[in-house]
Amino acid sequence: MSANDDTRGYLITFEGSEGAGKSTQVERIAKRFEAHNQAVVVTREPGGTPIGEEIRRLLMHSACGSAMTPETELLLFAASRAQLVREVIRPAVDEGKIVLCDRFLDSTTVYQGVGRRIASEPVAMINKFAVGDLMPDITVIIDLPAEIGLERTRHRAREMPDRMEQENIEFYRKVREGYLMLAKALPGRFIIADGSKSIDEVEVQIWEELRKRVI
Ligand code: TMP
């Protein structure tokens, strides 16, 4: 591995709005790296630790979730991340592993900042507090028109949409724009994949970009 230094691994995060196919691609890319004898850790946000999974339940499935304020939501996502960074991601990256994380701090910038309209200063400050000095090395955005993403989500075989899936189309349009704005501001960190293509095509596009940068 041509790592950032001799021993450090990589944090690669996957972002996109609902229905983009992040989780599928995370699994497939993990297999690709493993096939090249790379040690891979797959995790997700919110969640990824016992504490984080409890916070996930509260954020997405709690019976009292409809009363949650945007500020509380922001702090809960950050709390899950603070735990995940220290318990899982930081140690794995320090051991030279490749960590693939399904969502990370860009989700907060976009969903709570752009989507919920919380001011950018507190969002940036709380994100920074949660991650310390650990930033993603590479972020893959799976980009998809909001209409298609929502359509896919609603067709998933599940009983009830979670709390975050109950927003209107305008919210998801803002989310998509938010991601594209981030990628424009920091082109070095981001890879944009076309999520409207087939699963196989998206996988190939992401893998070609990642293998150039990582292996
Ligand atoms: P997912 O795991 O199915 O992608 O669902 C996570 C949901 O939580 C999704 O709607 C995005 C949202 N989310 C935020 O709003 N802010 C965050 O910081 C994170 C990590 C997720």
Side-chain angles (χ1 to χ4, degrees), residues 18 22 56 60 77 81 103 107-108 111-112 164:
E18 342 298 288
K22 288 175 292 87
R56 182 183 180 93
M60 294 164 76
F77 280 118
R81 180 166 313 126
R103 297 193 181 280
S107 282
T108 302
Y111 281 78
Q112 281 64 56
M164 299 301 295

Side-chain angles (χ1 to χ4, degrees), residues 6-205:
D6 279 353
T7 54
R8 189 181 177 277
Y10 282 87
L11 171 58
I12 303 173
T13 58
F14 288 71
E15 298 280 357
S17 49
E18 342 298 288
K22 288 175 292 87
S23 314
T24 307
Q25 294 300 336
V26 167
E27 278 172 32
R28 287 178 169 224
I29 296 298
K31 291 204 178 90
R32 294 268 194 165
F33 277 121
E34 281 161 1
H36 284 74
N37 297 320
Q38 306 286 338
V40 178
V41 172
V42 170
T43 189
R44 70 167 179 179
E45 281 205 357
T49 63
I51 289 172
E53 291 296 329
E54 292 271 332
I55 296 173
R56 182 183 180 93
R57 193 190 47 74
L58 190 54
L59 275 162
M60 294 164 76
H61 303 290
S62 165
C64 50
S66 60
M68 192 177 294
T69 71
E71 292 79 4
T72 306
E73 184 182 282
L74 167 65
L75 291 166
L76 287 174
F77 280 118
S80 172
R81 180 166 313 126
Q83 188 69 28
L84 183 67
V85 164
R86 288 155 187 83
E87 191 175 323
V88 176
I89 301 179
R90 176 101 255 174
V93 170
D94 286 348
E95 284 169 16
K97 295 179 179 159
I98 296 175
V99 178
L100 304 182
C101 192
D102 187 341
R103 297 193 181 280
F104 198 60
L105 85 175
D106 299 314
S107 282
T108 302
T109 305
V110 167
Y111 281 78
Q112 281 64 56
V114 182
R116 301 271 193 244
R117 298 177 187 279
I118 300 179
S120 55
E121 290 81 11
V123 172
M125 189 187 75
I126 289 163
N127 267 346
K128 173 87 190 69
F129 184 67
V131 303
D133 62 358
L134 187 86
M135 281 298 284
D137 297 291
I138 305 170
T139 298
V140 177
I141 294 175
I142 307 183
D143 178 52
L144 192 68
E147 293 76 8
I148 302 180
L150 218 51
E151 186 70 14
R152 285 188 191 168
T153 310
R154 304 222 155 120
H155 278 89
R156 271 184 207 158
R158 256 201 286 149
E159 319 81 58
M160 278 281 287
D162 66 49
R163 191 178 65 86
M164 299 301 295
E165 288 169 351
Q166 290 170 18
E167 293 298 330
N168 61 29
I169 189 78
E170 268 317 308
F171 182 87
Y172 298 110
R173 285 201 186 110
K174 280 197 278 176
V175 164
R176 182 189 191 199
E177 286 312 308
Y179 278 125
L180 295 176
M181 270 165 20
L182 272 183
K184 212 168 163 187
L186 296 166
R189 172 155 71 88
F190 289 93
I191 292 169
I192 300 181
D194 181 353
S196 64
K197 297 220 167 107
S198 74
I199 293 175
D200 289 345
E201 286 171 313
V202 178
E203 178 188 349
V204 168
Q205 190 196 344

